[in-house]
Amino acid sequence: MIYVPGSQEGQILELLEIQVDLVRKAEQLERFAKDYPNHSATSWALEWLQMYYLRQNQHRQAIAAGEKLLALHPDDFDALWRAKKSADALGDPSVATLWK
């Protein structure tokens, strides 16, 4: 992750890196991705969120984070794999077929 230390975004990211409360970190990363969609660290934030939501069995949120990440990086195989895994875990055939 690359950012300018001391900038507004840099200060936010520095705090996010040391945040130990994972629920709060996820909330703040969601806000960062929304507030700074074109920042280079947004990909890092979305990847972190997708992995977190997958581990928490929050599959719809994992898919949403994956869709945003894939919009930035269409060839991101890992993001695609995590979205497919989440779609399969939902047990909803209409969602699962979107990720085959």
Side-chain angles (χ1 to χ4, degrees):
M1 165 180 48
I2 299 172
Y3 58 87
V4 178
S7 67
Q8 182 176 356
E9 298 94 334
Q11 290 175 348
I12 293 168
L13 291 166
E14 286 172 354
L15 292 173
L16 283 169
E17 285 184 301
I18 61 171
Q19 177 62 261
V20 294
D21 181 337
L22 297 181
V23 173
R24 185 161 166 81
K25 185 171 187 167
E27 292 168 354
Q28 292 172 342
L29 284 169
E30 288 277 5
R31 188 173 318 125
F32 181 86
K34 181 182 174 195
D35 292 346
Y36 303 100
N38 299 318
H39 193 279
S40 62
T42 299
S43 296
W44 167 79
L46 292 170
E47 181 179 37
W48 190 97
L49 286 165
Q50 189 185 29
M51 289 187 292
Y52 170 76
Y53 289 137
L54 182 61
R55 288 183 196 126
Q56 298 300 312
N57 294 320
Q58 296 177 350
H59 300 294
R60 292 199 188 278
Q61 292 92 328
I63 292 169
E67 288 173 339
K68 292 174 188 173
L69 187 54
L70 287 164
L72 296 173
H73 305 285
D75 295 332
D76 188 335
F77 176 78
D78 293 326
L80 180 63
W81 180 83
R82 288 186 296 266
K84 181 186 179 330
K85 186 171 179 166
S86 290
D88 290 343
L90 282 174
D92 182 345
S94 65
V95 175
T97 56
L98 295 173
W99 293 98
K100 287 192 176 203

